[in-house]
C-alpha cells in the first residue's frame, strides 16, 4: 500500500509503521492503467507482460499528528471504552489489528 499524503488523524510515522519492504506485489494507479512491481516469484507469471517500467512505493515521512506513548503503558488500555468509538468507524482495512499487535509486542512481550 502506498500513501503519498498523510490524512488528518494519521500517526503511522510515530509508530514506525509508515514503511515496509516486506511485500510481494505493489500496484499503483497510473491514468487509465496500473503500474505493478513484482517482488515475489509467485506473481511473476501473471505480470510478465508489456514494457518494464521502474515503479516503487512512496511512503509518508511526516504526520501532522504526533503520538507519544508512555513507557509504563498498562495492558488494561485495551479494555478502555475508547475502542468502542474506533470500532464504530471501522472500515475493515486491518490497520487497527496491526496497531494492536505492534503495541502488544512492543510493550507486553
Amino acid at each position: 500500500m502506498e500513501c503519498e499524503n498523510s490524512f488528518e488523524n494519521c500517526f503511522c510515522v510515530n509508530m514506525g509503521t509508515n514503511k515496509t519492504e516486506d511485500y510481494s506485489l505493489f500496484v499503483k494507479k497510473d491514468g487509465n492503467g496500473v503500474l505493478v512491481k513484482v517482488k515475489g516469484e509467485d506473481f511473476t507469471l501473471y505480470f510478465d507482460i508489456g514494457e518494464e517500467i521502474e515503479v516503487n512505493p512512496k511512503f509518508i515521512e511526516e504526520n501532522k499528528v504526533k503520538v507519544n506513548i508512555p513507557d509504563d503503558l498498562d495492558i488494561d488500555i485495551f479494555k478502555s471504552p475508547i475502542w468502542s468509538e474506533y470500532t464504530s468507524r471501522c472500515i475493515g482495512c486491518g490497520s487497527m489489528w496491526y496497531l494492536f499487535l505492534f503495541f502488544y509486542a512492543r510493550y507486553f512481550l
Side-chain angles (χ1 to χ4, degrees):
M1 175 187 256
E2 173 183 61
C3 290
E4 293 187 53
N5 302 302
S6 183
F7 295 97
E8 181 181 356
N9 295 313
C10 292
F11 52 88
C12 62
V13 175
N14 283 113
M15 298 292 104
T17 58
N18 56 315
K19 297 180 182 183
T20 186
E21 291 297 323
D22 187 22
Y23 61 92
S24 299
L25 189 70
F26 169 64
V27 180
K28 178 182 180 111
K29 188 174 183 325
D30 183 49
N32 292 327
V34 294
L35 300 174
V36 178
K37 179 175 184 174
V38 179
K39 287 180 64 176
E41 291 184 21
D42 295 342
F43 294 101
T44 304
L45 294 174
Y46 301 105
F47 294 98
D48 192 16
I49 58 172
E51 179 184 356
E52 191 168 318
I53 298 172
E54 183 73 23
V55 60
N56 292 298
K58 296 177 184 171
F59 300 108
I60 295 296
E61 297 293 332
E62 184 178 6
N63 299 123
K64 293 177 185 174
V65 174
K66 306 293 184 214
V67 177
N68 296 309
I69 302 169
D71 292 333
D72 60 346
L73 190 64
D74 190 314
I75 196 164
D76 286 338
I77 189 73
F78 296 111
K79 297 175 185 174
S80 172
I82 193 170
W83 298 111
S84 296
E85 177 189 343
Y86 285 105
T87 300
S88 69
R89 296 191 275 164
C90 180
I91 61 170
C93 69
S95 295
M96 294 308 275
W97 177 244
Y98 287 112
L99 184 61
F100 168 78
L101 292 176
F102 172 79
F103 275 131
Y104 191 80
R106 185 170 181 183
Y107 294 100
F108 304 110
L109 293 182

